[in-house]
């Protein structure tokens, strides 16, 4: 430490490796095919530029027209912009890196566990308002405008924070077939009045992919050119998000759900499970809320290994959800490898609005070489599961891909 005080000859070192970051706008192939069931495709072929997809975002503008005779207001539900799409795909050099089915539910489950109290104001720009589920100020005079960061939709953009060199990129968005799941009616009165909202129309008038292009100093540019000339593949390590759905659960008090089988390379590290009762295709219920369905206990099995080891023993009737809420709060510490947690939801809101179950499976014996991993969920409830109840399981698992900036080859392991 003393040497730091005495080294008066130390020289100033300029470490301005990045000289400029500019956001460039990229339009879809067709600026008019933005209606329901349309495919919205973007392509970035800036092969000579350095792009930073982790900081890119979608800028969406549109308008909502109320149906004739409808009362009250039509508002976005929480995370309503993401619910406008049925699938999102991200590609590098025409090779799929990540595909997210039902991005509204997927990003809602992930965001509820990842975001913190300090993110609330920034999230409102993406139509997030989980506390009131109104987004009452997001639509002004029938028009809306918002921005969705791509790290909100793709695990690749959240985890891979480096630039891409000498690559083309494609983003494909499939519009949902209906708009009911993005909107909710407020002040509409009885069920008959709510049906009049079905004539309401949502229209996207503009959608732009904003991608930052990075400019570097001459010294850094030479280093990056040497990386390209070496013809060695670069590794892309990230965590993939895969949503599995059980459309209609049987009306009993216990159930076993064989979710899926995966390879040993794609071992699941976390599972986020939520239940919804009769929330699809409705103007009166939000698709970003979840129902507890009087859940008592839930376990995830990887082959024969159970997670968690001990039971939750929840009792929503008597507000005994401490272990479930603790698992929800602990996600940020484990997933982001930090010592602190600032959950987005309070215990009260968690119990009444978003009672999701978080299962941490990050600690596994990877020395056991198994060709396949079977994922099974078993759960119990204190009363029969209501009719029209769906179950969702978001699996977060490891994924590795390689790309060669010299040849353009991309390969997922």
């Amino acid at each position: 430490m003393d040497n730091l005080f005495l080294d008066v000859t130390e020289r100033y070192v300029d470490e301005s490796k990045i000289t400029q970051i500019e956001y460039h706008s990229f339009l879809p192939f067709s600026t008019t095919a933005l209606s329901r069931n349309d495919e919205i495709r973007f392509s970035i072929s800036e092969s000579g530029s350095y792009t930073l997809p982790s900081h890119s975002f979608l800028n969406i503008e549109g308008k909502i027209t109320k149906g004739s005779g409808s009362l009250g207001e039509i508002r976005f539900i929480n995370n309503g912009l993401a619910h406008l799409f049925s699938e999102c795909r991200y590609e590098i050099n025409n090779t799929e890196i990540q595909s997210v089915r039902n991005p509204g539910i997927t990003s809602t489950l992930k965001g509820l566990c990842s975001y913190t109290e300090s993110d609330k104001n920034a999230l409102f720009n993406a139509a997030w308002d989980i506390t009131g589920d109104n987004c009452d100020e997001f639509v002004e005079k029938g028009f809306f405008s918002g921005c969705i960061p791509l790290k909100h939709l793709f695990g690749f953009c959240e985890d891979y924070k480096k630039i891409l060199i000498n690559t083309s990129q494609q983003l494909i968005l499939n519009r949902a077939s209906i708009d009911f799941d993005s909107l909710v009616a407020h002040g509409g009165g009885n069920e008959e009045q709510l049906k009049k909202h079905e004539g309401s129309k949502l229209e996207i008038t503009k959608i732009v992919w904003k991608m930052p292009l990075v400019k570097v100093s001459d010294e850094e540019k030479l280093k990056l050119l040497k990386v390209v000339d070496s013809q060695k593949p670069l590794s892309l390590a990230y965590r993939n998000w895969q949503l599995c759905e059980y459309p209609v659960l049987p009306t009993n008090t216990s159930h076993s759900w064989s979710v899926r089988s995966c390879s040993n390379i794609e071992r699941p590290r976390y599972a986020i499970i939520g239940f919804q009762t009769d929330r699809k295709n409705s103007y009166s219920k939000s698709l970003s809320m979840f129902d507890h369905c009087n859940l008592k206990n839930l376990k995830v099995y990887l082959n024969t290994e159970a997670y968690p080891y001990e039971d939750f023993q929840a009792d929503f009737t008597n507000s005994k959800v401490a272990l479930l809420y603790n698992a929800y709060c602990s996600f940020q510490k484990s997933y982001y490898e930090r010592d602190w947690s600032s959950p987005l939801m309070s215990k009260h809101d968690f119990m009444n609005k978003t009672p999701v179950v978080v299962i941490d499976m990050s600690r596994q014996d990877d020395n056991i070489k198994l060709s396949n991993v079977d994922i099974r969920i078993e759960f119990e409830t204190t009363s029969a599961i209501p009719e029209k109840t769906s179950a969702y399981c978001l699996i977060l698992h490891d994924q590795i891909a390689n790309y060669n900036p010299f040849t353009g080859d991309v390969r997922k392991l």
Side-chain angles (χ1 to χ4, degrees), residues 345-382:
M345 305 298 296
S346 66
K347 186 176 180 180
H348 178 269
D349 287 339
F350 170 83
M351 183 172 61
N352 292 282
K353 298 178 180 180
T354 59
V356 297
V357 184
V358 180
I359 305 296
D360 186 345
M361 302 173 288
S362 57
R363 306 294 185 220
Q364 299 180 31
D365 187 0
D366 292 337
N367 293 324
I368 300 177
K369 301 299 181 182
L370 298 174
S371 57
N372 288 315
V373 178
D374 295 324
I375 307 171
R376 187 176 83 258
I377 297 176
E378 293 187 358
F379 57 88
E380 304 174 53
T381 58
T382 55

Side-chain angles (χ1 to χ4, degrees), residues 149-165:
L150 247 64
K151 63 183 179 182
H152 177 70
L153 300 175
F154 297 105
F156 171 78
C157 293
E158 182 187 35
D159 291 332
Y160 191 75
K161 298 179 173 62
K162 301 179 178 63
I163 60 173
L164 291 178
I165 308 172

Side-chain angles (χ1 to χ4, degrees), residues 2 12 36 48 65 77 80 104-105 155-157 171 179 233 246 283 310 336 354 396:
D2 293 343
Y12 167 73
R36 290 177 290 186
T65 305
I77 65 172
I105 294 291
F156 171 78
C157 293
L171 177 64
D179 296 326
Y246 199 112
Y283 267 124
E310 294 188 340
Y336 297 105
T354 59
L396 311 177

Side-chain angles (χ1 to χ4, degrees), residues 90-241:
Y90 179 80
E91 299 177 353
I92 295 178
N93 293 345
N94 296 307
T95 300
E96 183 181 290
I97 296 298
Q98 186 172 4
S99 175
V100 176
R101 190 177 63 88
N102 200 340
I105 294 291
T106 300
S107 58
T108 297
L109 286 170
K110 175 63 169 57
L112 287 172
C113 300
S114 294
Y115 293 131
T116 67
E117 278 279 329
S118 60
D119 293 322
K120 283 185 178 179
N121 288 334
L123 287 173
F124 186 76
N125 201 33
W128 268 74
D129 185 12
I130 191 64
T131 52
D133 197 46
N134 292 335
C135 290
D136 52 348
E137 298 177 358
F138 192 76
V139 180
E140 294 286 348
K141 298 180 180 179
F143 294 89
F144 64 88
S145 175
C147 296
I148 308 179
L150 247 64
K151 63 183 179 182
H152 177 70
L153 300 175
F154 297 105
F156 171 78
C157 293
E158 182 187 35
D159 291 332
Y160 191 75
K161 298 179 173 62
K162 301 179 178 63
I163 60 173
L164 291 178
I165 308 172
N166 202 29
T167 62
S168 66
Q169 299 166 70
Q170 298 79 36
L171 177 64
I172 302 96
L173 309 173
N174 292 334
R175 278 281 273 120
S177 58
I178 58 174
D179 296 326
F180 292 136
D181 293 341
S182 301
L183 306 171
V184 66
H186 281 257
N190 55 30
E191 194 68 27
E192 183 178 346
Q193 289 291 340
L194 288 172
K195 288 183 179 180
K196 294 182 179 181
H197 286 296
E198 295 180 1
S200 301
K201 181 181 178 182
L202 185 149
E203 180 184 357
I204 296 179
T205 57
K206 176 184 176 183
I207 181 167
V208 179
W209 188 11
K210 297 276 191 178
M211 173 65 74
L213 268 59
V214 180
K215 296 182 179 180
V216 299
S217 63
D218 292 339
E219 182 181 355
E220 289 301 313
K221 187 178 295 185
L222 287 173
K223 292 180 180 178
L224 293 173
L225 287 174
K226 289 180 180 178
V227 172
V228 176
D229 291 338
S230 68
Q231 303 187 31
K232 294 181 179 179
L234 303 178
S235 178
L236 306 173
Y238 58 99
R239 286 166 289 197
N240 204 352
W241 307 349

Side-chain angles (χ1 to χ4, degrees), residues 373-406:
V373 178
D374 295 324
I375 307 171
R376 187 176 83 258
I377 297 176
E378 293 187 358
F379 57 88
E380 304 174 53
T381 58
T382 55
S383 59
I385 296 172
E387 295 182 351
K388 298 182 181 180
T389 296
S390 303
Y392 297 95
C393 176
L394 176 60
I395 299 171
L396 311 177
H397 64 81
D398 299 336
Q399 186 74 64
I400 300 176
N402 290 332
Y403 83 101
N404 191 317
F406 185 85

